[in-house]
mmCIF file of all heavy atoms in Angstrom:
data_model
loop_
_atom_site.group_PDB
_atom_site.id
_atom_site.type_symbol
_atom_site.label_atom_id
_atom_site.label_comp_id
_atom_site.label_asym_id
_atom_site.label_seq_id
_atom_site.Cartn_x
_atom_site.Cartn_y
_atom_site.Cartn_z
ATOM 1 N N LEU A 1 69.698 80.616 239.176
ATOM 2 C CA LEU A 1 68.650 80.123 240.049
ATOM 3 C C LEU A 1 68.432 78.631 239.829
ATOM 4 O O LEU A 1 68.285 77.876 240.781
ATOM 5 C CB LEU A 1 67.342 80.885 239.803
ATOM 6 C CG LEU A 1 66.157 80.495 240.684
ATOM 7 C CD1 LEU A 1 66.481 80.746 242.150
ATOM 8 C CD2 LEU A 1 64.921 81.273 240.280
ATOM 9 N N LEU A 2 68.448 78.191 238.581
ATOM 10 C CA LEU A 2 68.278 76.774 238.278
ATOM 11 C C LEU A 2 69.416 75.959 238.876
ATOM 12 O O LEU A 2 69.197 74.916 239.458
ATOM 13 C CB LEU A 2 68.203 76.560 236.765
ATOM 14 C CG LEU A 2 68.079 75.099 236.306
ATOM 15 C CD1 LEU A 2 66.789 74.497 236.844
ATOM 16 C CD2 LEU A 2 68.126 75.008 234.812
ATOM 17 N N MET A 3 70.640 76.427 238.752
ATOM 18 C CA MET A 3 71.785 75.712 239.306
ATOM 19 C C MET A 3 71.657 75.637 240.823
ATOM 20 O O MET A 3 71.959 74.640 241.432
ATOM 21 C CB MET A 3 73.090 76.391 238.896
ATOM 22 C CG MET A 3 74.314 75.643 239.373
ATOM 23 S SD MET A 3 74.364 73.932 238.836
ATOM 24 C CE MET A 3 75.290 74.113 237.350
ATOM 25 N N GLY A 4 71.184 76.693 241.435
ATOM 26 C CA GLY A 4 70.996 76.694 242.886
ATOM 27 C C GLY A 4 69.965 75.665 243.307
ATOM 28 O O GLY A 4 70.142 74.966 244.304
ATOM 29 N N ALA A 5 68.889 75.524 242.542
ATOM 30 C CA ALA A 5 67.851 74.547 242.865
ATOM 31 C C ALA A 5 68.382 73.133 242.703
ATOM 32 O O ALA A 5 68.106 72.251 243.530
ATOM 33 C CB ALA A 5 66.636 74.767 241.974
ATOM 34 N N VAL A 6 69.169 72.897 241.662
ATOM 35 C CA VAL A 6 69.763 71.576 241.456
ATOM 36 C C VAL A 6 70.722 71.250 242.599
ATOM 37 O O VAL A 6 70.742 70.128 243.107
ATOM 38 C CB VAL A 6 70.477 71.507 240.086
ATOM 39 C CG1 VAL A 6 71.282 70.235 239.945
ATOM 40 C CG2 VAL A 6 69.470 71.632 238.949
ATOM 41 N N ASP A 7 71.506 72.232 243.011
ATOM 42 C CA ASP A 7 72.429 72.028 244.129
ATOM 43 C C ASP A 7 71.676 71.641 245.399
ATOM 44 O O ASP A 7 72.084 70.738 246.122
ATOM 45 C CB ASP A 7 73.259 73.282 244.395
ATOM 46 C CG ASP A 7 74.274 73.562 243.298
ATOM 47 O OD1 ASP A 7 74.609 72.618 242.553
ATOM 48 O OD2 ASP A 7 74.722 74.722 243.192
ATOM 49 N N ILE A 8 70.580 72.318 245.673
ATOM 50 C CA ILE A 8 69.781 72.028 246.868
ATOM 51 C C ILE A 8 69.212 70.613 246.802
ATOM 52 O O ILE A 8 69.254 69.870 247.783
ATOM 53 C CB ILE A 8 68.662 73.076 247.030
ATOM 54 C CG1 ILE A 8 69.274 74.431 247.398
ATOM 55 C CG2 ILE A 8 67.652 72.639 248.077
ATOM 56 C CD1 ILE A 8 68.302 75.581 247.381
ATOM 57 N N VAL A 9 68.719 70.207 245.649
ATOM 58 C CA VAL A 9 68.166 68.859 245.489
ATOM 59 C C VAL A 9 69.246 67.812 245.712
ATOM 60 O O VAL A 9 69.034 66.807 246.395
ATOM 61 C CB VAL A 9 67.506 68.704 244.102
ATOM 62 C CG1 VAL A 9 67.173 67.260 243.812
ATOM 63 C CG2 VAL A 9 66.265 69.582 244.006
ATOM 64 N N VAL A 10 70.435 68.034 245.167
ATOM 65 C CA VAL A 10 71.538 67.077 245.330
ATOM 66 C C VAL A 10 71.951 66.977 246.797
ATOM 67 O O VAL A 10 72.162 65.883 247.321
ATOM 68 C CB VAL A 10 72.735 67.470 244.433
ATOM 69 C CG1 VAL A 10 73.974 66.671 244.779
ATOM 70 C CG2 VAL A 10 72.376 67.289 242.969
ATOM 71 N N VAL A 11 72.050 68.105 247.478
ATOM 72 C CA VAL A 11 72.436 68.098 248.892
ATOM 73 C C VAL A 11 71.375 67.384 249.728
ATOM 74 O O VAL A 11 71.698 66.547 250.580
ATOM 75 C CB VAL A 11 72.683 69.530 249.408
ATOM 76 C CG1 VAL A 11 72.799 69.557 250.918
ATOM 77 C CG2 VAL A 11 73.927 70.117 248.761
ATOM 78 N N LEU A 12 70.094 67.666 249.498
ATOM 79 C CA LEU A 12 69.030 67.001 250.257
ATOM 80 C C LEU A 12 69.007 65.501 249.995
ATOM 81 O O LEU A 12 68.851 64.700 250.927
ATOM 82 C CB LEU A 12 67.676 67.619 249.923
ATOM 83 C CG LEU A 12 67.438 69.028 250.451
ATOM 84 C CD1 LEU A 12 66.098 69.563 249.956
ATOM 85 C CD2 LEU A 12 67.489 69.045 251.961
ATOM 86 N N ALA A 13 69.177 65.093 248.740
ATOM 87 C CA ALA A 13 69.206 63.664 248.416
ATOM 88 C C ALA A 13 70.403 62.989 249.086
ATOM 89 O O ALA A 13 70.287 61.870 249.601
ATOM 90 C CB ALA A 13 69.257 63.471 246.904
ATOM 91 N N SER A 14 71.537 63.668 249.122
ATOM 92 C CA SER A 14 72.731 63.109 249.767
ATOM 93 C C SER A 14 72.524 62.942 251.265
ATOM 94 O O SER A 14 72.894 61.920 251.841
ATOM 95 C CB SER A 14 73.942 64.011 249.514
ATOM 96 O OG SER A 14 74.199 64.116 248.139
ATOM 97 N N VAL A 15 71.936 63.937 251.892
ATOM 98 C CA VAL A 15 71.666 63.857 253.330
ATOM 99 C C VAL A 15 70.706 62.716 253.634
ATOM 100 O O VAL A 15 70.910 61.958 254.585
ATOM 101 C CB VAL A 15 71.122 65.205 253.855
ATOM 102 C CG1 VAL A 15 70.548 65.075 255.249
ATOM 103 C CG2 VAL A 15 72.214 66.259 253.818
ATOM 104 N N MET A 16 69.681 62.560 252.806
ATOM 105 C CA MET A 16 68.723 61.471 253.023
ATOM 106 C C MET A 16 69.391 60.110 252.828
ATOM 107 O O MET A 16 69.143 59.176 253.596
ATOM 108 C CB MET A 16 67.534 61.634 252.083
ATOM 109 C CG MET A 16 66.634 62.797 252.453
ATOM 110 S SD MET A 16 65.317 63.125 251.285
ATOM 111 C CE MET A 16 64.519 61.560 251.140
ATOM 112 N N LEU A 17 70.241 59.981 251.827
ATOM 113 C CA LEU A 17 70.938 58.727 251.582
ATOM 114 C C LEU A 17 71.884 58.377 252.728
ATOM 115 O O LEU A 17 71.895 57.242 253.205
ATOM 116 C CB LEU A 17 71.720 58.803 250.270
ATOM 117 C CG LEU A 17 72.506 57.551 249.888
ATOM 118 C CD1 LEU A 17 71.563 56.378 249.671
ATOM 119 C CD2 LEU A 17 73.324 57.806 248.647
ATOM 120 N N ILE A 18 72.633 59.348 253.203
ATOM 121 C CA ILE A 18 73.551 59.114 254.318
ATOM 122 C C ILE A 18 72.774 58.754 255.574
ATOM 123 O O ILE A 18 73.153 57.845 256.320
ATOM 124 C CB ILE A 18 74.456 60.345 254.546
ATOM 125 C CG1 ILE A 18 75.433 60.476 253.370
ATOM 126 C CG2 ILE A 18 75.209 60.247 255.860
ATOM 127 C CD1 ILE A 18 76.198 61.778 253.342
ATOM 128 N N GLY A 19 71.667 59.448 255.824
ATOM 129 C CA GLY A 19 70.839 59.124 256.979
ATOM 130 C C GLY A 19 70.255 57.722 256.883
ATOM 131 O O GLY A 19 70.228 56.980 257.867
ATOM 132 N N GLY A 20 69.794 57.334 255.701
ATOM 133 C CA GLY A 20 69.253 55.990 255.512
ATOM 134 C C GLY A 20 70.297 54.910 255.716
ATOM 135 O O GLY A 20 70.030 53.875 256.333
ATOM 136 N N LEU A 21 71.501 55.140 255.215
ATOM 137 C CA LEU A 21 72.578 54.167 255.417
ATOM 138 C C LEU A 21 72.961 54.070 256.894
ATOM 139 O O LEU A 21 73.211 52.978 257.410
ATOM 140 C CB LEU A 21 73.798 54.547 254.579
ATOM 141 C CG LEU A 21 73.664 54.310 253.082
ATOM 142 C CD1 LEU A 21 74.850 54.920 252.343
ATOM 143 C CD2 LEU A 21 73.552 52.830 252.778
ATOM 144 N N GLY A 22 73.008 55.191 257.577
ATOM 145 C CA GLY A 22 73.294 55.175 259.016
ATOM 146 C C GLY A 22 72.242 54.413 259.790
ATOM 147 O O GLY A 22 72.556 53.622 260.687
ATOM 148 N N TRP A 23 70.982 54.635 259.456
ATOM 149 C CA TRP A 23 69.887 53.917 260.131
ATOM 150 C C TRP A 23 69.975 52.421 259.851
ATOM 151 O O TRP A 23 69.800 51.608 260.745
ATOM 152 C CB TRP A 23 68.539 54.461 259.660
ATOM 153 C CG TRP A 23 67.379 53.684 260.176
ATOM 154 C CD1 TRP A 23 66.822 53.753 261.415
ATOM 155 C CD2 TRP A 23 66.638 52.685 259.461
ATOM 156 N NE1 TRP A 23 65.788 52.868 261.508
ATOM 157 C CE2 TRP A 23 65.646 52.199 260.324
ATOM 158 C CE3 TRP A 23 66.731 52.171 258.173
ATOM 159 C CZ2 TRP A 23 64.755 51.217 259.933
ATOM 160 C CZ3 TRP A 23 65.847 51.195 257.798
ATOM 161 C CH2 TRP A 23 64.865 50.729 258.673
ATOM 162 N N TYR A 24 70.282 52.054 258.608
ATOM 163 C CA TYR A 24 70.342 50.646 258.233
ATOM 164 C C TYR A 24 71.469 49.913 258.970
ATOM 165 O O TYR A 24 71.280 48.817 259.477
ATOM 166 C CB TYR A 24 70.535 50.514 256.720
ATOM 167 C CG TYR A 24 70.633 49.085 256.249
ATOM 168 C CD1 TYR A 24 69.496 48.305 256.117
ATOM 169 C CD2 TYR A 24 71.871 48.514 255.953
ATOM 170 C CE1 TYR A 24 69.576 46.991 255.690
ATOM 171 C CE2 TYR A 24 71.956 47.195 255.521
ATOM 172 C CZ TYR A 24 70.812 46.442 255.394
ATOM 173 O OH TYR A 24 70.892 45.143 254.987
ATOM 174 N N PHE A 25 72.651 50.531 259.023
ATOM 175 C CA PHE A 25 73.793 49.849 259.611
ATOM 176 C C PHE A 25 73.887 50.007 261.125
ATOM 177 O O PHE A 25 74.418 49.127 261.802
ATOM 178 C CB PHE A 25 75.095 50.339 258.969
ATOM 179 C CG PHE A 25 75.304 49.798 257.587
ATOM 180 C CD1 PHE A 25 75.200 50.626 256.489
ATOM 181 C CD2 PHE A 25 75.580 48.461 257.383
ATOM 182 C CE1 PHE A 25 75.390 50.132 255.208
ATOM 183 C CE2 PHE A 25 75.759 47.950 256.113
ATOM 184 C CZ PHE A 25 75.665 48.790 255.026
ATOM 185 N N PHE A 26 73.402 51.109 261.686
ATOM 186 C CA PHE A 26 73.588 51.362 263.108
ATOM 187 C C PHE A 26 72.282 51.421 263.897
ATOM 188 O O PHE A 26 72.298 51.708 265.088
ATOM 189 C CB PHE A 26 74.368 52.668 263.309
ATOM 190 C CG PHE A 26 75.708 52.658 262.641
ATOM 191 C CD1 PHE A 26 75.967 53.491 261.570
ATOM 192 C CD2 PHE A 26 76.695 51.802 263.065
ATOM 193 C CE1 PHE A 26 77.200 53.489 260.934
ATOM 194 C CE2 PHE A 26 77.934 51.775 262.436
ATOM 195 C CZ PHE A 26 78.183 52.625 261.374
ATOM 196 N N GLY A 27 71.158 51.149 263.237
ATOM 197 C CA GLY A 27 69.873 51.179 263.918
ATOM 198 C C GLY A 27 69.704 49.990 264.850
ATOM 199 O O GLY A 27 70.491 49.042 264.854
ATOM 200 N N ARG A 28 68.681 50.050 265.660
ATOM 201 C CA ARG A 28 68.417 48.972 266.609
ATOM 202 C C ARG A 28 67.994 47.716 265.876
ATOM 203 O O ARG A 28 67.274 47.756 264.893
ATOM 204 C CB ARG A 28 67.316 49.389 267.577
ATOM 205 C CG ARG A 28 67.686 50.628 268.374
ATOM 206 C CD ARG A 28 66.641 50.925 269.371
ATOM 207 N NE ARG A 28 67.137 50.370 270.627
ATOM 208 C CZ ARG A 28 66.439 50.306 271.733
ATOM 209 N NH1 ARG A 28 65.214 50.723 271.763
ATOM 210 N NH2 ARG A 28 66.974 49.808 272.818
#
């Protein structure tokens, strides 16, 4: 269960980072 929670946190942080980089480089 702990490993699953860590995996979820890593995936969410990665998605947020990728989204932020996309907004920074391709935003208006």
Side-chain angles (χ1 to χ4, degrees):
L1 182 61
L2 178 62
M3 184 56 93
V6 171
D7 290 339
I8 291 171
V9 169
V10 169
V11 168
L12 289 176
S14 299
V15 167
M16 289 174 54
L17 180 63
I18 291 169
L21 287 171
W23 173 79
Y24 179 78
F25 285 109
F26 302 113
R28 300 185 98 187

